[in-house]
Amino acid sequence: LLLNAGSEFEFRYFLWRDVVSASAQRTIEGFGWIGYWRGDIPPFAALRTFSGPHQSALNAYLDVLLQLGIVGLFSFIALVGLALVRSWLLGANRRSINFVWLALITLLLVIVSAAESFALVEFGWLTLVICILKASQDLSWRARLGDR
């Protein structure tokens, strides 16, 4: 192909297929959270495609499914979804650069998580936690109780 994108898609497809089949062994609870994958711990040692060992599933949602199971995946999606909705409402209502930035960064993390596990480790996790905390702090039901 023109930019060799076919082999990249093929690489991700085989990795994601292997992650889904491995997560079927422990669907509810997963294998336990470790962040970056370690090649000496099962099932991560078995998840080697034609390019060798990996540090992540290259998809945050599949990474959470493998490590924390379906319960963790639903919790993660709910957490990120609430943060996205709250930050979007803040950005639309307050129209300050601070709140628009919050909505755009949260949206970016949600989209990038489909192609990378960046939001689950290091600076990506810190950014996600800051966005969640800021969105929940400024659009909290407790703040409305104080207004009465």
Side-chain angles (χ1 to χ4, degrees):
L1 294 163
L2 185 62
L3 297 174
N4 202 14
S7 64
E8 176 68 23
F9 176 75
E10 183 180 8
F11 167 75
R12 287 175 185 267
Y13 171 75
F14 287 125
L15 178 62
W16 293 343
R17 185 192 62 188
D18 293 343
V19 167
V20 169
S21 67
S23 66
Q25 297 173 8
R26 293 189 183 174
T27 307
I28 303 295
E29 76 279 2
F31 288 93
W33 183 259
I34 64 168
Y36 283 128
W37 293 1
R38 291 185 43 197
D40 56 339
I41 299 175
F44 309 109
L47 291 172
R48 295 175 182 252
T49 58
F50 55 89
S51 67
H54 306 284
Q55 290 186 331
S56 72
L58 299 177
N59 183 317
Y61 306 106
L62 290 179
D63 223 339
V64 170
L65 176 65
L66 179 67
Q67 294 185 36
L68 299 179
I70 198 78
V71 173
L73 179 63
F74 285 147
S75 300
F76 181 71
I77 289 172
L79 181 76
V80 171
L82 278 172
L84 181 62
V85 168
R86 284 180 167 203
S87 64
W88 200 265
L89 289 174
L90 280 170
N93 292 336
R94 298 209 181 154
R95 298 190 185 193
S96 167
I97 189 69
N98 295 333
F99 297 107
V100 172
W101 170 89
L102 179 66
L104 292 177
I105 293 297
T106 308
L107 181 65
L108 179 70
L109 285 172
V110 168
I111 292 171
V112 168
S113 293
E116 291 293 329
S117 295
F118 171 74
L120 300 177
V121 291
E122 296 176 357
F123 185 71
W125 181 248
L126 175 68
T127 306
L128 182 63
V129 168
I130 288 171
C131 289
I132 290 168
L133 290 175
K134 187 65 178 162
S136 65
Q137 175 188 15
D138 291 332
L139 195 62
S140 174
W141 59 271
R142 285 177 255 145
R144 294 188 182 155
L145 287 178
D147 292 340
R148 292 181 184 189

